[in-house]
Amino acid sequence: MIHIERSTNLKVKPAQEKLGFGQYFTDHMFMLDYDVTKGWHDARIVPYQPITLDPAAKVFHYGQTIFEGLKAYRGGDSRIRLFRPEANIARMNRSNVRMSVPQLDSDQVLAALEKLIEVDAKWIPSEPGTSLYIRPFVFATQPVLGVAPSEQYQFIIIMSPVGAYYPEGINPVRIFVESEHVRASVGGVGEAKTAGNYAATFMSQQTAKEAGYTQVMWLDSAQHRFIEEVGSMNVFFRIDGKVCTPALSGSILAGITRSSIIQLLASWGIAVEERTISIEELYEAGREGRLEEAFGTGTAAVVSPIGELCWQGERLIIGESRTGELAKRLYDALTGIQYGTVEDTFGWVKAVDVQAALV
Amino acid sequence: MIHIERSTNLKVKPAQEKLGFGQYFTDHMFMLDYDVTKGWHDARIVPYQPITLDPAAKVFHYGQTIFEGLKAYRGGDSRIRLFRPEANIARMNRSNVRMSVPQLDSDQVLAALEKLIEVDAKWIPSEPGTSLYIRPFVFATQPVLGVAPSEQYQFIIIMSPVGAYYPEGINPVRIFVESEHVRASVGGVGEAKTAGNYAATFMSQQTAKEAGYTQVMWLDSAQHRFIEEVGSMNVFFRIDGKVCTPALSGSILAGITRSSIIQLLASWGIAVEERTISIEELYEAGREGRLEEAFGTGTAAVVSPIGELCWQGERLIIGESRTGELAKRLYDALTGIQYGTVEDTFGWVKAVDVQAALV
Ligand SMILES: Cc1ncc(COP(=O)(O)O)c(C=O)c1O
Ligand SMILES: Cc1ncc(COP(=O)(O)O)c(C=O)c1O
């Protein structure tokens, strides 16, 4: 049972062309508390509001927190669709294991998601490329300084109407290959969607930005040779007509877009090699004109073509810096399924029944 | 200028023998805000109270946060001493660089520390082994979902009267050598005191605990061979009469206790080798009876003898599981300086003038 307290002070919604990413939040949020004796309890939807925490809460000191990111789409048919929410919830619980956070009940989280979307359905934008970004997150609240898992947590879902993640949209981005700093290592927490993994990328990202690049491509921590991922995206390459992507080595996030892309390609008869890909191999292919396409994939950016790499000072232009044919086809197929204009033969979308709540 | 708002509702202080670690907090806290336009502003001491944050605050999602840990000691002479606070503040600013957090003004932070200690001086316990643990921390507060450094932060200092960190006290602890999971890697954020580094250790720590060990010893992420640190401590070994400790490779924290131990030993004519130390070398020395002592060092635990290691199922008893001679001598020297019973020839302690505030 979710207790619902409706806001009596609804916000003015931002203009759809000014959404940006993660700037605006809807009128309500979902909350759920945990403590060792009671377990998860007190499920509620409340007006979007500040969180109150003891300054000793473990999240501030020991970073025990995980999150997810998924989207709800408003179709041309006015129906609301979630994309593979069960996959996000399953990944959240895998992250929870790695970070010693108690498991959440998948059904309860899915029900909470749907209910919250229903309550704030008017916030789901309708312009092409827009959607409602959904951010579930858990964090440790126990006010004790001691390096050990918390005995208290809070689980929250907030939602933000969004436009394109990169200002470039579906246009190719320029990527800086980081060969000194690393994001994560095998045996570490790189495959968990935990907050600390992201702050760890800021310094490199700033350096890349100052040099005119949109994002950073990460290499493995042991040898600085093997490609891992790109910013908050997994990465695919088309070399000599064959598609490949770094294998899930343990240090990269198992993207849901990544898995969807692999399945989509398989359905088109295109096999994806999941393997180790060295930056040398990539550059060699690039120099010889055999690197046909490169693109990142993720919930926020969907499919984002990579038009240029810079590794140790050497620039590599990919596909004449134009959006590749495969990237475009995948983008269209995926967004088609998400917005309901292409038939979903995979059982990925979950329609949410929002009834009267609609504008 | 620090604005001071005194609590009108002082807490009951816990009994000194029941302090534990990080369970109780003093009556006041220090706060300082940051935003890109104003810089750091609004320095204030207020009653210890909950923090209020937007649920989209970046600390929850991207883990941009750093902290420090130092102690104030009440001497037998009733004077209050801080131990090398400038070193903690300098390390905090180094962590800030790594985590893209704006620099703090060292003088302002030191003044804040001293003022807060003065206000809550009655909280500094007097029993042997007790002290006031001080926790400065900074975290990102900007309510925007987007993987980029925050434009707003809060810096807070809270304080907790503490007893011994480990229930074992100065008695030897049993340590589990982790050969699968890793804490940090060179090029990552292991040398920054950032929250995410700690949650990353929980899983291994739990495994170790369940097997009857107090803490985990970390090996390097690339080869799982080279010793890094132990829980929240740096680690020293005495092999064949020579003292060594892992070099500051970039993935371990540059402990202030570590640096003090090295200087103390040097003043006794004992050189410390800062170098790579493999777990094989350590075990070989141990099996041949040449590993005379092992101990961890840190602000919380001071000097903590290691009586036993377990690596890949092989147990190694060190120094008959007794507190080693060197560990004991270092513990006495260091705590002597901290509590003012041994002359501080290093200029490490900073007496805080607490005047009338004392009980
Ligand atoms: C580090 C990282 N890699 C990859 C991805 C892509 O994952 P997904 O496709 O599930 O959004 C994300 C975003 O969630 C991410 O944060
Ligand atoms: C990971 C880690 N290593 C080592 C130390 C020891 O550092 P210090 O002696 O400055 O307390 C600490 C504690 O601060 C720590 O958190």
Side-chain angles (χ1 to χ4, degrees):
Chain A
M1 253 298 293
I2 304 175
H3 180 263
I4 301 178
E5 178 197 339
R6 282 182 194 268
S7 172
T8 53
N9 190 8
L10 300 182
K11 305 177 192 175
V12 176
K13 293 186 189 58
Q16 294 204 24
E17 64 280 12
K18 293 204 176 133
L19 289 176
F21 197 94
Q23 311 267 347
Y24 303 98
F25 297 92
T26 67
D27 285 311
H28 298 85
M29 63 201 254
F30 174 81
M31 300 182 88
L32 183 65
D33 299 329
Y34 178 92
D35 71 46
V36 243
T37 49
K38 288 199 225 170
W40 291 107
H41 64 278
D42 204 5
R44 58 204 188 274
I45 287 172
V46 294
Y48 188 92
Q49 62 191 262
I51 310 173
T52 297
L53 284 174
D54 192 288
K58 289 200 179 202
V59 61
F60 297 119
H61 307 277
Y62 307 122
Q64 198 188 11
T65 174
I66 67 97
F67 69 96
E68 269 304 327
L70 69 165
K71 285 175 172 174
Y73 307 83
R74 183 184 296 278
D77 57 0
S78 259
R79 295 187 67 190
I80 306 303
R81 291 172 178 82
L82 278 168
F83 187 71
R84 305 186 71 183
E86 300 88 349
N88 287 92
I89 298 170
R91 184 171 65 187
M92 180 161 66
N93 270 333
R94 292 200 304 276
S95 297
N96 282 339
V97 169
R98 185 62 184 91
M99 305 312 289
S100 303
V101 173
Q103 292 288 292
L104 282 143
D105 181 294
S106 309
D107 294 337
Q108 184 181 23
V109 173
L110 188 58
L113 270 179
E114 295 186 324
K115 195 42 131 180
L116 186 61
I117 288 167
E118 191 190 316
V119 169
D120 275 341
K122 290 183 183 165
W123 280 89
I124 309 173
S126 55
E127 289 294 309
T130 65
S131 56
L132 186 70
Y133 183 76
I134 305 168
R135 170 59 57 91
F137 61 113
V138 190
F139 53 95
T141 57
Q142 192 188 14
V144 169
L145 299 182
V147 183
S150 181
E151 298 187 345
Q152 288 151 24
Y153 299 86
Q154 202 154 55
F155 171 68
I156 291 181
I157 307 174
I158 56 177
M159 306 196 300
S160 170
V162 300
Y165 188 71
Y166 295 127
E168 291 92 339
I170 174 78
N171 295 319
V173 292
R174 304 174 66 216
I175 300 290
F176 182 83
V177 183
E178 171 64 87
S179 43
E180 181 191 351
H181 292 118
V182 297
R183 176 189 171 272
S185 54
V186 177
V189 296
E191 63 183 344
K193 211 162 160 65
T194 184
N197 286 338
Y198 295 80
T201 69
F202 287 176
M203 200 167 84
S204 300
Q205 217 186 71
Q206 290 299 99
T207 313
K209 213 166 192 173
E210 280 154 26
Y213 293 86
T214 303
Q215 266 298 348
V216 167
M217 180 182 284
W218 300 102
L219 303 178
D220 77 289
S221 72
Q223 298 187 50
H224 302 275
R225 286 186 60 205
F226 300 108
I227 294 165
E228 300 229 317
E229 43 189 340
V230 172
S232 302
M233 302 188 293
N234 295 109
V235 65
F236 288 76
F237 305 101
R238 189 154 66 106
I239 304 176
D240 287 327
K242 282 189 190 164
V243 182
C244 61
T245 189
L248 299 177
S249 59
S251 56
I252 71 178
L253 195 80
I256 289 156
T257 319
R258 175 187 182 280
S259 124
S260 310
I261 295 273
I262 293 173
Q263 288 179 64
L264 261 175
L265 287 171
S267 77
W268 298 343
I270 303 172
V272 175
E273 298 169 355
E274 298 180 64
R275 60 175 174 91
T276 52
I277 304 166
S278 74
I279 184 72
E280 293 95 339
E281 173 190 348
L282 197 73
Y283 260 66
E284 201 177 295
R287 290 187 205 108
E288 295 170 1
R290 297 181 290 106
L291 175 55
E292 298 147 356
E293 279 190 55
F295 53 88
T297 69
T299 298
V302 196
V303 172
S304 180
I306 298 170
E308 181 183 331
L309 292 178
C310 178
W311 172 54
Q312 294 181 339
E314 183 181 347
R315 291 172 55 191
L316 186 68
I317 303 293
I318 303 171
E320 299 172 337
S321 283
R322 281 204 283 261
T323 299
E325 166 215 329
L326 198 62
K328 182 75 177 76
R329 195 173 157 205
L330 284 165
Y331 180 89
D332 290 342
L334 210 50
T335 54
I337 292 173
Q338 290 164 343
Y339 289 93
T341 58
V342 170
E343 194 197 348
D344 171 24
T345 54
F346 302 92
W348 285 338
V349 296
K350 189 162 175 46
V352 185
D353 188 11
V354 295
Q355 315 149 347
L358 273 178
V359 209
Chain B
M1 254 297 296
I2 304 175
H3 180 263
I4 300 178
E5 178 197 339
R6 283 181 194 268
S7 171
T8 52
N9 190 7
L10 300 182
K11 305 177 193 174
V12 176
K13 294 185 189 60
Q16 294 204 22
E17 64 280 12
K18 293 205 178 132
L19 290 176
F21 197 93
Q23 310 267 347
Y24 303 98
F25 297 92
T26 66
D27 286 310
H28 298 86
M29 63 200 255
F30 174 82
M31 302 182 86
L32 183 66
D33 299 330
Y34 178 92
D35 72 46
V36 243
T37 49
K38 288 199 224 171
W40 291 106
H41 63 278
D42 204 6
R44 58 204 188 273
I45 286 172
V46 295
Y48 188 93
Q49 61 191 264
I51 309 173
T52 298
L53 284 174
D54 193 286
K58 290 201 179 200
V59 61
F60 297 120
H61 307 276
Y62 307 122
Q64 199 189 10
T65 173
I66 66 96
F67 69 97
E68 269 302 326
L70 69 164
K71 285 176 173 174
Y73 307 84
R74 183 184 295 279
D77 58 0
S78 259
R79 295 187 68 191
I80 306 302
R81 291 173 177 82
L82 279 167
F83 187 71
R84 306 186 70 182
E86 299 88 349
N88 288 92
I89 297 170
R91 184 170 66 188
M92 181 161 66
N93 269 333
R94 291 200 305 276
S95 297
N96 283 338
V97 169
R98 184 63 185 91
M99 306 311 291
S100 303
V101 173
Q103 293 287 291
L104 282 144
D105 180 294
S106 308
D107 294 338
Q108 184 181 23
V109 173
L110 188 58
L113 269 180
E114 293 186 325
K115 195 44 135 182
L116 187 60
I117 288 167
E118 191 189 316
V119 170
D120 275 340
K122 290 182 183 166
W123 280 89
I124 310 172
S126 56
E127 288 294 309
T130 65
S131 56
L132 186 72
Y133 184 75
I134 304 168
R135 171 57 57 90
F137 61 112
V138 190
F139 53 95
T141 57
Q142 192 188 14
V144 170
L145 300 183
V147 182
S150 181
E151 299 188 345
Q152 288 150 26
Y153 299 86
Q154 203 155 54
F155 170 68
I156 290 181
I157 307 174
I158 55 175
M159 306 197 297
S160 170
V162 300
Y165 188 71
Y166 295 126
E168 292 92 339
I170 173 79
N171 294 319
V173 291
R174 303 174 68 214
I175 301 290
F176 182 83
V177 183
E178 172 64 87
S179 42
E180 182 190 353
H181 292 116
V182 298
R183 176 188 170 273
S185 54
V186 176
V189 296
E191 62 185 345
K193 211 162 159 66
T194 184
N197 286 338
Y198 295 80
T201 69
F202 287 175
M203 200 168 82
S204 300
Q205 217 186 68
Q206 290 298 98
T207 313
K209 214 167 191 173
E210 280 156 26
Y213 293 86
T214 304
Q215 266 298 347
V216 167
M217 179 182 283
W218 300 102
L219 302 179
D220 76 289
S221 72
Q223 300 187 48
H224 302 275
R225 286 186 59 205
F226 300 108
I227 294 166
E228 301 229 316
E229 42 189 341
V230 172
S232 302
M233 302 189 293
N234 295 110
V235 65
F236 288 77
F237 304 102
R238 188 154 66 105
I239 304 175
D240 287 328
K242 282 190 189 162
V243 182
C244 62
T245 189
L248 298 177
S249 59
S251 57
I252 71 178
L253 195 80
I256 290 155
T257 318
R258 176 186 181 281
S259 124
S260 309
I261 295 273
I262 292 173
Q263 288 180 63
L264 260 176
L265 287 171
S267 76
W268 298 342
I270 303 172
V272 175
E273 298 169 354
E274 298 181 64
R275 60 175 175 91
T276 52
I277 304 166
S278 75
I279 185 73
E280 293 95 339
E281 173 191 348
L282 197 72
Y283 260 67
E284 200 176 296
R287 290 188 206 107
E288 295 170 0
R290 297 181 291 108
L291 174 56
E292 297 147 356
E293 281 189 53
F295 53 88
T297 69
T299 298
V302 195
V303 173
S304 180
I306 298 169
E308 182 182 330
L309 292 178
C310 178
W311 173 53
Q312 294 181 340
E314 184 182 346
R315 292 171 56 190
L316 185 68
I317 302 294
I318 303 171
E320 299 173 334
S321 282
R322 282 204 283 260
T323 299
E325 167 214 330
L326 198 62
K328 182 75 177 75
R329 196 174 156 204
L330 284 165
Y331 180 89
D332 290 341
L334 210 52
T335 53
I337 292 172
Q338 290 163 342
Y339 289 93
T341 58
V342 170
E343 195 198 347
D344 170 24
T345 55
F346 301 93
W348 285 338
V349 296
K350 187 159 177 48
V352 185
D353 189 10
V354 295
Q355 313 149 347
L358 274 179
V359 210

